[in-house]
Amino acid sequence: MIRFFILFLLTTTLFSSMVERHRWTNGVTYLLFLQNHNLPVRDLYYNLDKDDQRLTEEMRAGVHYQILKDNNGTIEQILLPLNDELQIHIYKDKDSYKFEPIPIISTTKTEAFSTTITSSPMYNILKETGDKKLAQIFVASFKHSLNFKNDIRKGDRLVMIYDQKYRLGRPFSMPTLKVAMIEMNHKRHYIYLNDDGRYYDEKAHEVEGFLLARPVRGARISSYFTKRRWHPILHKWKAHLGVDYAARRGTPVVAAGSGRIIYAARMGTYGNLIKIRHNDGYETRYAHLKSFRRGIHRGKYVKKGQVIAYVGTTGRSTGPHLHFELRKRGRAINPLRVVQVTTKKLKGKKKKAFLRLKKNYDESVELHLNNHTSFKKLPPFENISYIHLMDADHG
Ligand SMILES: [Zn+2]
């Protein structure tokens, strides 16, 4: 299926169709998008099942998407990325249009750069890369351990090693930080991504970040987070953008972190839903609730661990469970990455494995410092270079 799709896009491109690249603008809904392009809302929205309809709500401002048109300007295909693994494929089929979620074909490259700090890490990473995301990720990674304001001296340097995904030859989605190194008054400070998906400093201590409590105590996880999953019975691609905790009806649900309740009411397939807004753009969602705890309502501030509701099976649900979601600036992320489960200090075998990883990372950092590795900028996007870029990535 994946191969089929690459060929499809390549061949249609060869027959002089045009691929346009656009940016999803703030405030545009999927339905509005269909209307703006005179696409049939019945086929492409109202006749879809509830899961597919839910997926259409995942379009985010700033995301790049593609429209393929024939010589007459008729839309032949549209690709709308929902996350970094799944996209909506709208395509013309004789006189009608079809909708299907399909996997995103992407390649991942490990990239790195080093730069000398003349002003602040934020300023110099932006100057070096022109990429706000990279600057934000770097600064956020040291947020709880270092204070950049006072201790940086002229000549201090930084190195960043990260994974960047590419789709159709262009970078997309959030880069994943692998190592961050910053000199402060010529002393080096590091943060490393370990194999367990968490970040540690050079002493193998976990870096304090945004940590969540388990929303239901002692519950079994019945379904994990996935950005895309093939459903063998329905024969289609789906996503599960949260974690399901199976628990008896009426089991207390606690706030996974402190924050303000911004929603506490029914919402479609979610059933009874609570949304809590936390610091740094994080939001948690608790769905299919039987009921809310007395006094829990929109606008109320709750503390981490405080009971807010009870497990139920309202909305689209097959049995009592809590569907728990974590979002960062609207984007669904795996809550288990930040749910506190283990001690925050690596020991024994795990520490040994980490130290081996760290040694490799340290050698890379040293190399990039000595080479003054600079950020590789891509040429600006042009429709014409489309095929070549795809060849380069997949050939
Ligand atoms: Zn769920």
Side-chain angles (χ1 to χ4, degrees):
M1 180 168 189
I2 292 175
R3 174 161 302 165
F4 163 74
F5 188 66
I6 300 175
L7 292 174
F8 196 40
L9 211 128
L10 262 176
T11 46
T12 43
T13 310
L14 287 169
F15 288 105
S16 79
S17 302
M18 279 295 281
V19 178
E20 296 173 357
R21 184 169 177 262
H22 300 274
R23 218 180 151 90
W24 197 267
T25 43
N26 200 8
V28 173
T29 62
Y30 172 78
L31 265 175
L32 189 61
F33 171 82
L34 295 180
Q35 284 160 3
N36 289 345
H37 288 90
N38 287 320
L39 291 163
V41 290
R42 187 186 294 268
D43 293 346
L44 297 177
Y45 184 75
Y46 291 107
N47 287 351
L48 304 179
D49 72 29
K50 285 277 185 282
D51 285 346
D52 284 348
Q53 284 185 356
R54 167 87 69 79
L55 281 179
T56 66
E57 292 164 17
E58 292 294 318
M59 280 307 291
R60 302 270 150 243
V63 167
H64 285 110
Y65 62 94
Q66 283 79 16
I67 300 182
L68 183 83
K69 290 180 179 167
D70 68 12
N71 286 337
N72 305 320
T74 308
I75 292 176
E76 299 206 321
Q77 292 189 54
I78 300 175
L79 290 175
L80 305 174
L82 301 170
N83 54 47
D84 49 8
E85 296 193 7
L86 196 66
Q87 60 193 338
I88 291 172
H89 181 211
I90 292 170
Y91 61 98
K92 195 163 178 284
D93 184 32
K94 288 170 194 132
D95 295 329
S96 64
Y97 282 94
K98 297 263 165 67
F99 173 106
E100 61 172 356
I102 60 168
I104 287 179
I105 300 148
S106 70
T107 49
T108 302
K109 290 181 194 162
T110 301
E111 301 183 340
F113 65 88
S114 82
T115 192
T116 302
I117 310 163
T118 56
S119 170
S120 70
M122 191 73 171
Y123 172 86
N124 285 105
I125 294 173
L126 259 177
K127 194 167 166 240
E128 173 76 26
T129 67
D131 190 336
K132 215 163 140 189
K133 285 180 194 164
L134 287 174
Q136 284 169 343
I137 288 169
F138 187 93
V139 171
S141 69
F142 287 108
K143 193 179 155 189
H144 299 275
S145 54
L146 300 178
N147 182 1
F148 293 147
K149 286 211 173 73
N150 307 319
D151 298 325
I152 288 174
R153 299 281 177 275
K154 279 257 154 66
D156 279 343
R157 295 168 300 172
L158 64 83
V159 172
M160 192 170 177
I161 303 176
Y162 55 96
D163 279 344
Q164 175 68 61
K165 285 192 178 182
Y166 284 82
R167 169 178 179 263
L168 303 173
R170 309 302 299 178
F172 92 109
S173 187
M174 289 300 272
T176 304
L177 179 71
K178 297 179 89 178
V179 191
M181 189 288 287
I182 186 165
E183 291 175 340
M184 286 172 74
N185 202 7
H186 311 311
K187 185 181 183 314
R188 289 185 188 179
H189 303 270
Y190 293 83
I191 279 172
Y192 308 89
L193 176 62
N194 196 17
D195 289 339
D196 59 8
R198 291 159 185 266
Y199 289 96
Y200 296 85
D201 65 15
E202 48 272 64
K203 292 186 195 105
H205 292 192
E206 184 166 3
V207 177
E208 282 278 354
F210 177 70
L211 291 172
L212 294 172
R214 270 194 201 127
V216 196
R217 289 218 179 93
R220 177 179 63 87
I221 293 175
S222 54
S223 180
Y224 286 87
F225 175 93
T226 171
K227 288 177 186 166
R228 74 170 191 225
R229 158 157 79 200
W230 176 250
H231 196 293
I233 297 157
L234 297 175
H235 268 268
K236 59 193 260 181
W237 290 96
K238 289 168 160 271
H240 186 239
L241 300 176
V243 169
D244 289 348
Y245 291 93
R248 285 230 287 280
R249 199 186 302 259
T251 306
V253 173
V254 304
S258 301
R260 192 166 301 282
I261 294 182
I262 53 167
Y263 193 92
R266 257 191 121 81
M267 188 192 267
T269 54
Y270 278 120
N272 286 327
L273 173 72
I274 288 182
K275 292 187 190 179
I276 301 177
R277 188 196 294 139
H278 310 279
N279 287 336
D280 296 333
Y282 284 103
E283 180 190 307
T284 49
R285 296 182 183 176
Y286 313 75
H288 310 309
L289 300 167
K290 174 173 166 273
S291 56
F292 308 125
R293 191 185 188 184
R294 189 176 308 184
I296 291 297
H297 52 78
R298 200 174 142 232
K300 190 176 170 61
Y301 184 87
V302 289
K303 284 208 165 130
K304 183 172 178 172
Q306 187 179 333
V307 175
I308 51 170
Y310 305 96
V311 171
T313 184
T314 53
R316 192 182 155 92
S317 164
T318 48
H321 75 282
L322 174 74
H323 171 88
F324 176 60
E325 279 182 27
L326 174 66
R327 305 243 163 190
K328 187 163 191 192
R329 298 187 214 296
R331 211 170 303 201
I333 53 180
N334 187 353
L336 295 184
R337 281 271 175 100
V338 284
V339 168
Q340 219 163 2
V341 276
T342 47
T343 52
K344 287 183 281 171
K345 222 190 232 175
L346 292 175
K347 284 177 190 152
K349 268 187 195 163
K350 284 183 180 166
K351 185 171 180 179
K352 269 192 186 151
F354 169 77
L355 292 176
R356 273 198 299 276
L357 192 89
K358 173 184 176 301
K359 191 166 168 279
N360 288 335
Y361 278 148
D362 288 345
E363 284 167 10
S364 301
V365 167
E366 197 62 44
L367 205 74
H368 292 302
L369 278 175
N370 292 337
N371 288 348
H372 300 280
T373 308
S374 58
F375 180 79
K376 279 182 200 67
K377 285 204 170 81
L378 282 170
F381 181 81
E382 288 171 45
N383 286 335
I384 285 163
S385 61
Y386 216 80
I387 295 168
H388 302 289
L389 284 169
M390 285 200 60
D391 272 349
D393 270 359
H394 300 286

Tab-separated table of all heavy atoms in Angstrom, residues 171-199:
chain	number	residue	atom	x	y	z
A	171	PRO	N	11.492	19.067	5.781
A	171	PRO	CA	11.386	18.709	7.198
A	171	PRO	C	9.946	18.881	7.686
A	171	PRO	O	9.265	19.790	7.231
A	171	PRO	CB	12.291	19.712	7.912
A	171	PRO	CG	12.775	20.661	6.903
A	171	PRO	CD	12.272	20.276	5.562
A	172	PHE	N	9.505	17.989	8.538
A	172	PHE	CA	8.177	18.194	9.122
A	172	PHE	C	8.125	17.594	10.515
A	172	PHE	O	9.011	16.831	10.884
A	172	PHE	CB	7.094	17.611	8.197
A	172	PHE	CG	6.707	16.199	8.484
A	172	PHE	CD1	5.476	15.894	9.024
A	172	PHE	CD2	7.584	15.160	8.218
A	172	PHE	CE1	5.122	14.588	9.283
A	172	PHE	CE2	7.230	13.856	8.471
A	172	PHE	CZ	6.002	13.565	9.010
A	173	SER	N	7.153	17.994	11.265
A	173	SER	CA	6.935	17.547	12.639
A	173	SER	C	8.040	18.070	13.568
A	173	SER	O	9.023	18.649	13.121
A	173	SER	CB	6.873	16.025	12.687
A	173	SER	OG	6.521	15.604	13.959
A	174	MET	N	7.847	17.839	14.857
A	174	MET	CA	8.823	18.327	15.839
A	174	MET	C	10.091	17.481	15.784
A	174	MET	O	10.012	16.260	15.776
A	174	MET	CB	8.241	18.232	17.255
A	174	MET	CG	7.147	19.230	17.550
A	174	MET	SD	7.694	20.936	17.399
A	174	MET	CE	8.317	21.238	19.056
A	175	PRO	N	11.258	18.132	15.757
A	175	PRO	CA	12.500	17.356	15.857
A	175	PRO	C	12.579	16.686	17.232
A	175	PRO	O	11.996	17.179	18.192
A	175	PRO	CB	13.584	18.419	15.725
A	175	PRO	CG	12.913	19.643	15.216
A	175	PRO	CD	11.499	19.572	15.668
A	176	THR	N	13.271	15.550	17.305
A	176	THR	CA	13.483	14.888	18.599
A	176	THR	C	14.908	15.146	19.051
A	176	THR	O	15.866	14.756	18.377
A	176	THR	CB	13.272	13.363	18.460
A	176	THR	OG1	11.976	13.148	17.921
A	176	THR	CG2	13.382	12.668	19.808
A	177	LEU	N	15.033	15.802	20.183
A	177	LEU	CA	16.360	16.100	20.721
A	177	LEU	C	17.034	14.818	21.184
A	177	LEU	O	16.422	14.013	21.877
A	177	LEU	CB	16.235	17.064	21.911
A	177	LEU	CG	17.549	17.443	22.586
A	177	LEU	CD1	18.357	18.361	21.688
A	177	LEU	CD2	17.291	18.103	23.923
A	178	LYS	N	18.304	14.617	20.784
A	178	LYS	CA	19.042	13.450	21.268
A	178	LYS	C	20.108	13.865	22.275
A	178	LYS	O	20.246	13.240	23.309
A	178	LYS	CB	19.665	12.699	20.095
A	178	LYS	CG	18.580	12.156	19.170
A	178	LYS	CD	19.144	11.419	17.989
A	178	LYS	CE	19.343	9.955	18.332
A	178	LYS	NZ	19.846	9.201	17.159
A	179	VAL	N	20.853	14.918	21.950
A	179	VAL	CA	21.818	15.474	22.912
A	179	VAL	C	21.792	16.988	22.833
A	179	VAL	O	21.717	17.554	21.734
A	179	VAL	CB	23.272	15.056	22.597
A	179	VAL	CG1	24.189	15.428	23.749
A	179	VAL	CG2	23.375	13.583	22.320
A	180	ALA	N	21.840	17.617	23.976
A	180	ALA	CA	22.040	19.059	24.030
A	180	ALA	C	23.249	19.299	24.925
A	180	ALA	O	23.356	18.718	26.006
A	180	ALA	CB	20.811	19.750	24.606
A	181	MET	N	24.180	20.101	24.440
A	181	MET	CA	25.344	20.450	25.249
A	181	MET	C	25.495	21.958	25.228
A	181	MET	O	25.411	22.579	24.171
A	181	MET	CB	26.605	19.791	24.691
A	181	MET	CG	27.849	19.913	25.586
A	181	MET	SD	28.602	21.553	25.689
A	181	MET	CE	29.377	21.665	24.079
A	182	ILE	N	25.687	22.548	26.380
A	182	ILE	CA	25.945	23.975	26.434
A	182	ILE	C	27.097	24.253	27.390
A	182	ILE	O	27.195	23.637	28.460
A	182	ILE	CB	24.678	24.770	26.837
A	182	ILE	CG1	24.945	26.278	26.742
A	182	ILE	CG2	24.188	24.386	28.245
A	182	ILE	CD1	23.698	27.126	26.761
A	183	GLU	N	27.981	25.131	26.960
A	183	GLU	CA	29.041	25.586	27.853
A	183	GLU	C	28.544	26.835	28.568
A	183	GLU	O	27.951	27.724	27.947
A	183	GLU	CB	30.300	25.928	27.047
A	183	GLU	CG	30.978	24.704	26.445
A	183	GLU	CD	32.148	25.072	25.544
A	183	GLU	OE1	32.228	26.227	25.078
A	183	GLU	OE2	32.972	24.185	25.298
A	184	MET	N	28.791	26.848	29.875
A	184	MET	CA	28.461	28.051	30.631
A	184	MET	C	29.690	28.381	31.450
A	184	MET	O	30.111	27.579	32.281
A	184	MET	CB	27.242	27.817	31.515
A	184	MET	CG	25.966	27.783	30.667
A	184	MET	SD	24.514	27.296	31.561
A	184	MET	CE	24.202	28.746	32.497
A	185	ASN	N	30.226	29.543	31.176
A	185	ASN	CA	31.508	29.911	31.772
A	185	ASN	C	32.514	28.785	31.544
A	185	ASN	O	33.255	28.398	32.436
A	185	ASN	CB	31.333	30.208	33.269
A	185	ASN	CG	32.461	31.082	33.779
A	185	ASN	OD1	33.293	31.558	33.001
A	185	ASN	ND2	32.496	31.278	35.089
A	186	HIS	N	32.495	28.247	30.328
A	186	HIS	CA	33.406	27.207	29.838
A	186	HIS	C	33.199	25.836	30.473
A	186	HIS	O	33.921	24.901	30.180
A	186	HIS	CB	34.874	27.643	29.965
A	186	HIS	CG	35.111	29.017	29.419
A	186	HIS	ND1	34.645	29.395	28.171
A	186	HIS	CD2	35.699	30.118	29.951
A	186	HIS	CE1	34.967	30.664	27.964
A	186	HIS	NE2	35.589	31.132	29.030
A	187	LYS	N	32.214	25.702	31.351
A	187	LYS	CA	31.904	24.372	31.906
A	187	LYS	C	30.765	23.773	31.074
A	187	LYS	O	29.790	24.454	30.760
A	187	LYS	CB	31.465	24.515	33.369
A	187	LYS	CG	31.248	23.181	34.064
A	187	LYS	CD	30.778	23.418	35.508
A	187	LYS	CE	30.611	22.137	36.318
A	187	LYS	NZ	29.909	21.056	35.682
A	188	ARG	N	30.925	22.480	30.733
A	188	ARG	CA	29.928	21.850	29.866
A	188	ARG	C	28.785	21.206	30.642
A	188	ARG	O	29.007	20.566	31.668
A	188	ARG	CB	30.601	20.771	29.013
A	188	ARG	CG	31.508	21.355	27.960
A	188	ARG	CD	32.029	20.253	27.085
A	188	ARG	NE	33.046	20.785	26.189
A	188	ARG	CZ	33.713	20.046	25.310
A	188	ARG	NH1	33.471	18.748	25.228
A	188	ARG	NH2	34.604	20.598	24.532
A	189	HIS	N	27.586	21.381	30.107
A	189	HIS	CA	26.396	20.744	30.680
A	189	HIS	C	25.693	19.972	29.566
A	189	HIS	O	25.562	20.475	28.463
A	189	HIS	CB	25.447	21.794	31.251
A	189	HIS	CG	26.087	22.677	32.278
A	189	HIS	ND1	26.088	22.370	33.613
A	189	HIS	CD2	26.785	23.835	32.153
A	189	HIS	CE1	26.741	23.317	34.274
A	189	HIS	NE2	27.180	24.224	33.409
A	190	TYR	N	25.236	18.762	29.910
A	190	TYR	CA	24.647	17.888	28.886
A	190	TYR	C	23.246	17.425	29.272
A	190	TYR	O	22.941	17.279	30.460
A	190	TYR	CB	25.478	16.621	28.723
A	190	TYR	CG	26.861	16.810	28.161
A	190	TYR	CD1	27.918	17.177	28.996
A	190	TYR	CD2	27.117	16.588	26.823
A	190	TYR	CE1	29.202	17.312	28.488
A	190	TYR	CE2	28.399	16.719	26.306
A	190	TYR	CZ	29.434	17.084	27.143
A	190	TYR	OH	30.704	17.217	26.645
A	191	ILE	N	22.470	17.123	28.233
A	191	ILE	CA	21.227	16.369	28.418
A	191	ILE	C	21.167	15.316	27.317
A	191	ILE	O	21.451	15.608	26.151
A	191	ILE	CB	20.003	17.308	28.382
A	191	ILE	CG1	19.855	17.975	29.753
A	191	ILE	CG2	18.735	16.551	28.034
A	191	ILE	CD1	18.819	19.048	29.794
A	192	TYR	N	20.862	14.085	27.711
A	192	TYR	CA	20.859	12.972	26.751
A	192	TYR	C	19.507	12.284	26.706
A	192	TYR	O	18.871	12.081	27.750
A	192	TYR	CB	21.867	11.902	27.179
A	192	TYR	CG	23.253	12.390	27.467
A	192	TYR	CD1	23.612	12.811	28.749
A	192	TYR	CD2	24.213	12.412	26.459
A	192	TYR	CE1	24.899	13.245	29.022
A	192	TYR	CE2	25.498	12.847	26.728
A	192	TYR	CZ	25.838	13.261	28.012
A	192	TYR	OH	27.107	13.678	28.283
A	193	LEU	N	19.116	11.883	25.506
A	193	LEU	CA	17.915	11.050	25.365
A	193	LEU	C	18.328	9.593	25.532
A	193	LEU	O	19.147	9.080	24.768
A	193	LEU	CB	17.277	11.260	23.986
A	193	LEU	CG	16.076	10.376	23.659
A	193	LEU	CD1	14.926	10.613	24.625
A	193	LEU	CD2	15.616	10.606	22.223
A	194	ASN	N	17.774	8.932	26.530
A	194	ASN	CA	18.095	7.535	26.774
A	194	ASN	C	17.182	6.619	25.959
A	194	ASN	O	16.177	7.064	25.400
A	194	ASN	CB	17.961	7.246	28.277
A	194	ASN	CG	18.631	5.947	28.679
A	194	ASN	OD1	19.456	5.391	27.938
A	194	ASN	ND2	18.278	5.447	29.854
A	195	ASP	N	17.533	5.319	25.930
A	195	ASP	CA	16.726	4.349	25.186
A	195	ASP	C	15.308	4.204	25.738
A	195	ASP	O	14.425	3.708	25.046
A	195	ASP	CB	17.404	2.967	25.210
A	195	ASP	CG	18.645	2.968	24.344
A	195	ASP	OD1	18.738	3.843	23.463
A	195	ASP	OD2	19.524	2.111	24.557
A	196	ASP	N	15.105	4.604	26.983
A	196	ASP	CA	13.766	4.496	27.568
A	196	ASP	C	12.877	5.684	27.182
A	196	ASP	O	11.761	5.822	27.667
A	196	ASP	CB	13.846	4.364	29.100
A	196	ASP	CG	14.556	5.553	29.745
A	196	ASP	OD1	14.844	6.540	29.032
A	196	ASP	OD2	14.831	5.502	30.955
A	197	GLY	N	13.398	6.566	26.313
A	197	GLY	CA	12.593	7.694	25.843
A	197	GLY	C	12.583	8.874	26.803
A	197	GLY	O	11.828	9.824	26.617
A	198	ARG	N	13.419	8.806	27.862
A	198	ARG	CA	13.472	9.904	28.833
A	198	ARG	C	14.834	10.590	28.800
A	198	ARG	O	15.799	10.033	28.301
A	198	ARG	CB	13.199	9.364	30.246
A	198	ARG	CG	11.761	8.901	30.418
A	198	ARG	CD	11.618	7.943	31.574
A	198	ARG	NE	10.259	7.446	31.635
A	198	ARG	CZ	9.303	7.985	32.393
A	198	ARG	NH1	9.557	8.983	33.184
A	198	ARG	NH2	8.080	7.485	32.368
A	199	TYR	N	14.887	11.775	29.372
A	199	TYR	CA	16.123	12.561	29.323
A	199	TYR	C	16.878	12.505	30.649
A	199	TYR	O	16.272	12.578	31.718
A	199	TYR	CB	15.806	14.017	28.966
A	199	TYR	CG	15.389	14.149	27.520
A	199	TYR	CD1	14.044	14.159	27.166
A	199	TYR	CD2	16.339	14.233	26.512
A	199	TYR	CE1	13.650	14.255	25.842
A	199	TYR	CE2	15.963	14.329	25.188
A	199	TYR	CZ	14.620	14.346	24.849
A	199	TYR	OH	14.255	14.432	23.531
